[in-house]
Amino acid sequence: MNDLADSSWIQDGTGSKIVYLFFDPNCPYCHHVFDSLMKIRKDSPDLQFRWIPLGMLGSNSTAKAGAIIQAPDPLKAFMTNEKNYGFLNSDTGGGILPAKQVDAASQTILVENLSILQGQNLYGIPVVVFQADDGKPFYFSGQRSEAQLREILAHVEAGSFGGGQPIKGQQNK
Protein backbone atom coordinates (compact mmCIF):
# COMPACT_ATOMS: atom_id res chain seq x y z
CA MET A 1 0.00 0.00 0.00
CA ASN A 2 2.87 2.38 0.77
CA ASP A 3 4.19 2.01 -2.79
CA LEU A 4 0.89 3.32 -4.14
CA ALA A 5 1.89 6.77 -2.89
CA ASP A 6 4.04 6.98 -6.05
CA SER A 7 1.25 5.91 -8.40
CA SER A 8 -0.72 8.01 -10.87
CA TRP A 9 -4.25 6.86 -11.55
CA ILE A 10 -7.56 7.62 -13.22
CA GLN A 11 -10.39 8.01 -10.74
CA ASP A 12 -13.57 6.12 -11.57
CA GLY A 13 -16.37 6.75 -9.10
CA THR A 14 -16.56 8.52 -5.77
CA GLY A 15 -17.22 5.66 -3.37
CA SER A 16 -15.44 5.42 -0.04
CA LYS A 17 -14.08 1.91 -0.71
CA ILE A 18 -11.01 2.46 -2.90
CA VAL A 19 -9.61 -0.26 -5.15
CA TYR A 20 -6.41 0.26 -7.19
CA LEU A 21 -6.05 -1.63 -10.47
CA PHE A 22 -2.90 -1.81 -12.59
CA PHE A 23 -3.85 -2.34 -16.23
CA ASP A 24 -2.43 -2.33 -19.74
CA PRO A 25 -4.76 -1.05 -22.50
CA ASN A 26 -4.12 -4.23 -24.52
CA CYS A 27 -4.55 -6.74 -21.66
CA PRO A 28 -7.47 -9.14 -22.25
CA TYR A 29 -7.50 -10.19 -18.58
CA CYS A 30 -7.68 -6.54 -17.50
CA HIS A 31 -10.58 -6.07 -19.89
CA HIS A 32 -12.51 -9.03 -18.44
CA VAL A 33 -11.95 -7.71 -14.91
CA PHE A 34 -13.17 -4.28 -16.07
CA ASP A 35 -16.39 -5.80 -17.47
CA SER A 36 -17.07 -7.63 -14.21
CA LEU A 37 -16.30 -4.58 -12.08
CA MET A 38 -18.76 -2.42 -14.00
CA LYS A 39 -21.50 -4.96 -13.21
CA ILE A 40 -20.44 -5.19 -9.56
CA ARG A 41 -20.45 -1.44 -9.05
CA LYS A 42 -24.11 -1.27 -10.07
CA ASP A 43 -24.83 -3.20 -6.85
CA SER A 44 -22.00 -1.58 -4.84
CA PRO A 45 -21.88 2.16 -5.60
CA ASP A 46 -19.59 2.64 -2.59
CA LEU A 47 -16.68 1.28 -4.66
CA GLN A 48 -14.20 3.69 -6.24
CA PHE A 49 -11.75 2.34 -8.79
CA ARG A 50 -8.37 3.93 -9.37
CA TRP A 51 -7.07 2.66 -12.69
CA ILE A 52 -3.26 2.72 -12.87
CA PRO A 53 -2.09 2.67 -16.51
CA LEU A 54 0.90 0.67 -17.72
CA GLY A 55 2.43 0.18 -21.15
CA MET A 56 4.02 -3.24 -21.00
CA LEU A 57 2.30 -5.88 -23.13
CA GLY A 58 2.19 -5.02 -26.80
CA SER A 59 4.19 -2.92 -29.20
CA ASN A 60 1.58 -0.15 -29.01
CA SER A 61 0.64 -0.48 -25.32
CA THR A 62 2.72 2.54 -24.28
CA ALA A 63 1.19 4.67 -27.05
CA LYS A 64 -2.34 3.59 -26.11
CA ALA A 65 -1.67 4.25 -22.41
CA GLY A 66 -0.22 7.61 -23.47
CA ALA A 67 -3.38 8.38 -25.45
CA ILE A 68 -5.46 7.72 -22.33
CA ILE A 69 -3.22 9.81 -20.05
CA GLN A 70 -2.92 12.70 -22.52
CA ALA A 71 -6.64 12.85 -23.35
CA PRO A 72 -8.71 15.88 -22.35
CA ASP A 73 -10.70 13.47 -20.14
CA PRO A 74 -8.59 10.41 -19.18
CA LEU A 75 -11.55 8.55 -17.65
CA LYS A 76 -13.56 8.97 -20.85
CA ALA A 77 -10.57 7.80 -22.92
CA PHE A 78 -10.11 4.79 -20.63
CA MET A 79 -13.80 3.92 -20.94
CA THR A 80 -13.55 4.23 -24.73
CA ASN A 81 -10.60 1.84 -24.67
CA GLU A 82 -12.56 -0.72 -22.68
CA LYS A 83 -15.92 -0.37 -24.39
CA ASN A 84 -14.32 -0.71 -27.83
CA TYR A 85 -11.86 -3.40 -26.78
CA GLY A 86 -10.89 -5.60 -29.74
CA PHE A 87 -12.74 -3.53 -32.35
CA LEU A 88 -9.96 -1.56 -34.03
CA ASN A 89 -8.86 -2.76 -37.46
CA SER A 90 -6.29 -5.57 -37.22
CA ASP A 91 -6.05 -5.11 -33.48
CA THR A 92 -7.17 -7.47 -30.76
CA GLY A 93 -6.27 -5.09 -27.94
CA GLY A 94 -7.61 -1.90 -26.48
CA GLY A 95 -10.11 0.17 -28.41
CA ILE A 96 -8.32 3.50 -28.45
CA LEU A 97 -5.97 4.75 -31.14
CA PRO A 98 -2.36 4.99 -29.98
CA ALA A 99 -0.97 8.47 -29.35
CA LYS A 100 1.25 9.67 -32.18
CA GLN A 101 3.67 10.89 -29.54
CA VAL A 102 3.80 10.12 -25.83
CA ASP A 103 4.96 13.25 -24.03
CA ALA A 104 7.63 13.24 -21.31
CA ALA A 105 5.14 13.67 -18.46
CA SER A 106 3.12 10.66 -19.63
CA GLN A 107 6.30 8.58 -20.06
CA THR A 108 7.25 9.46 -16.47
CA ILE A 109 3.84 8.32 -15.19
CA LEU A 110 4.14 5.02 -17.05
CA VAL A 111 7.70 4.38 -15.83
CA GLU A 112 6.78 5.17 -12.22
CA ASN A 113 3.66 3.00 -12.31
CA LEU A 114 5.60 0.08 -13.79
CA SER A 115 8.38 0.47 -11.22
CA ILE A 116 5.84 -0.07 -8.43
CA LEU A 117 4.98 -3.50 -9.83
CA GLN A 118 8.58 -4.39 -10.57
CA GLY A 119 9.62 -3.32 -7.07
CA GLN A 120 7.22 -5.93 -5.70
CA ASN A 121 8.25 -8.55 -8.28
CA LEU A 122 4.78 -8.51 -9.80
CA TYR A 123 4.65 -9.07 -13.54
CA GLY A 124 1.19 -10.47 -14.24
CA ILE A 125 -1.67 -8.07 -14.74
CA PRO A 126 -4.17 -6.94 -13.81
CA VAL A 127 -3.00 -6.35 -10.25
CA VAL A 128 -5.74 -5.34 -7.83
CA VAL A 129 -4.81 -3.74 -4.48
CA PHE A 130 -6.92 -2.48 -1.59
CA GLN A 131 -7.04 -2.14 2.18
CA ALA A 132 -9.03 -5.08 3.52
CA ASP A 133 -11.56 -4.90 6.33
CA ASP A 134 -9.15 -6.80 8.59
CA GLY A 135 -6.80 -3.79 8.42
CA LYS A 136 -4.26 -5.48 6.14
CA PRO A 137 -3.37 -4.66 2.54
CA PHE A 138 -4.68 -7.21 0.07
CA TYR A 139 -3.73 -7.81 -3.55
CA PHE A 140 -4.12 -10.35 -6.31
CA SER A 141 -3.05 -10.56 -9.89
CA GLY A 142 -4.77 -12.06 -12.88
CA GLN A 143 -8.34 -12.54 -13.95
CA ARG A 144 -11.10 -13.64 -11.58
CA SER A 145 -14.72 -14.50 -12.27
CA GLU A 146 -17.41 -11.97 -11.45
CA ALA A 147 -18.54 -14.14 -8.52
CA GLN A 148 -14.98 -14.33 -7.16
CA LEU A 149 -14.56 -10.56 -7.54
CA ARG A 150 -17.82 -9.92 -5.70
CA GLU A 151 -16.66 -12.11 -2.83
CA ILE A 152 -13.21 -10.49 -2.67
CA LEU A 153 -14.45 -6.90 -2.97
CA ALA A 154 -16.96 -7.42 -0.17
CA HIS A 155 -13.90 -7.05 2.10
CA VAL A 156 -12.69 -3.60 0.97
CA GLU A 157 -12.28 -1.22 3.91
CA ALA A 158 -13.69 2.29 3.53
CA GLY A 159 -11.12 5.06 3.75
CA SER A 160 -8.30 6.71 1.90
CA PHE A 161 -5.48 4.16 1.78
CA GLY A 162 -2.59 4.07 -0.64
CA GLY A 163 -2.48 7.60 -1.96
CA GLY A 164 -0.95 8.59 -5.25
CA GLN A 165 -2.04 11.28 -7.65
CA PRO A 166 -5.00 11.54 -10.02
CA ILE A 167 -4.04 11.97 -13.66
CA LYS A 168 -5.22 15.38 -14.77
CA GLY A 169 -6.65 15.57 -18.26
CA GLN A 170 -5.34 17.99 -20.84
CA GLN A 171 -8.30 20.26 -20.07
CA ASN A 172 -7.14 20.54 -16.43
CA LYS A 173 -3.47 21.27 -17.04
Side-chain angles (χ1 to χ4, degrees):
M1 293 299 291
N2 291 336
D3 290 345
L4 291 172
D6 295 327
S7 69
S8 295
W9 36 262
I10 301 163
Q11 184 172 331
D12 178 9
T14 58
S16 63
K17 295 181 176 184
I18 300 170
V19 180
Y20 294 85
L21 302 104
F22 289 86
F23 77 96
D24 182 294
N26 288 324
C27 174
Y29 305 110
C30 302
H31 176 67
H32 288 292
V33 167
F34 168 84
D35 280 345
S36 293
L37 291 177
M38 294 301 101
K39 294 172 188 170
I40 292 168
R41 190 168 49 206
K42 288 180 181 176
D43 301 326
S44 302
D46 56 341
L47 290 171
Q48 176 187 143
F49 302 122
R50 292 185 174 177
W51 300 97
I52 302 173
L54 303 166
M56 61 184 274
L57 289 182
S59 61
N60 66 5
S61 288
T62 296
K64 285 184 178 183
I68 292 169
I69 294 167
Q70 295 168 186
D73 182 342
L75 179 59
K76 183 177 179 182
F78 169 71
M79 291 294 176
T80 296
N81 182 72
E82 295 304 318
K83 290 178 181 172
N84 295 329
Y85 190 89
F87 288 111
L88 294 181
N89 291 338
S90 69
D91 185 7
T92 57
I96 192 168
L97 292 173
K100 292 181 179 172
Q101 183 173 358
V102 179
D103 63 32
S106 299
Q107 285 283 4
T108 298
I109 287 171
L110 293 171
V111 167
E112 288 175 356
N113 285 347
L114 184 58
S115 71
I116 294 168
L117 288 187
Q118 291 173 336
Q120 295 296 323
N121 293 316
L122 298 171
Y123 295 96
I125 53 174
V127 173
V128 178
V129 182
F130 60 86
Q131 184 77 21
D133 55 11
D134 65 0
K136 297 177 183 174
F138 181 86
Y139 84 92
F140 68 88
S141 63
Q143 183 178 335
R144 300 289 188 277
S145 70
E146 182 180 333
Q148 289 170 319
L149 286 169
R150 284 183 186 277
E151 185 176 324
I152 292 167
L153 295 179
H155 298 284
V156 177
E157 179 72 20
S160 183
F161 305 100
Q165 300 295 319
I167 294 172
K168 304 268 189 228
Q170 295 294 321
Q171 65 195 14
N172 297 322
K173 287 188 177 181

